[in-house]
Amino acid sequence: MIKLTRIDGSNIYLNHMNIQWIESIPDTTITVMNGARIIVKEKIEDVLTLIKNYSKSTEHSNFENSVHLFPKQLIKEEGNDCPKT
């Protein structure tokens, strides 16, 4: 989870895996998978840095680290749009 600051100054801990998108309209607005919107003080670039740093600090948190967890037939080969069969 990443720690962010709401506009009112209160802290929120957000599971970055639930983020659907992030916008700057003009405040940084995070829309999560259930449709809720969270407005935070951090800039988009700062939120992305927090996500990147958190992902690096946790094992198997991104595709590059967890590719070995997927069955071989579900992984696309470079230049091939079809999964291996």
Side-chain angles (χ1 to χ4, degrees):
M1 297 181 95
I2 59 171
K3 181 180 176 183
L4 300 169
T5 310
R6 291 182 187 258
I7 292 296
D8 68 3
S10 63
N11 291 327
I12 182 170
Y13 292 86
L14 180 65
N15 181 341
H16 71 287
M17 299 295 287
N18 288 327
I19 294 175
Q20 188 170 11
W21 62 75
I22 305 172
E23 302 171 276
S24 182
I25 50 176
D27 296 317
T28 302
T29 304
I30 300 171
T31 303
V32 293
M33 294 297 190
N34 69 2
R37 288 180 149 195
I38 303 163
I39 301 172
V40 297
K41 288 185 176 183
E42 290 81 4
K43 301 289 182 205
I44 290 177
E45 295 80 15
D46 298 332
V47 174
L48 295 176
T49 298
L50 288 169
I51 293 169
K52 182 179 176 182
N53 291 342
Y54 179 79
S55 295
K56 283 182 178 180
S57 72
T58 58
E59 187 176 358
H60 306 304
S61 60
N62 60 35
F63 184 77
E64 290 80 17
N65 289 337
S66 50
V67 68
H68 68 277
L69 300 176
F70 295 96
K72 232 180 184 180
Q73 55 270 40
L74 296 180
I75 300 171
K76 292 181 182 179
E77 287 186 358
E78 188 174 331
N80 183 0
D81 289 338
C82 299
K84 287 183 176 181
T85 56

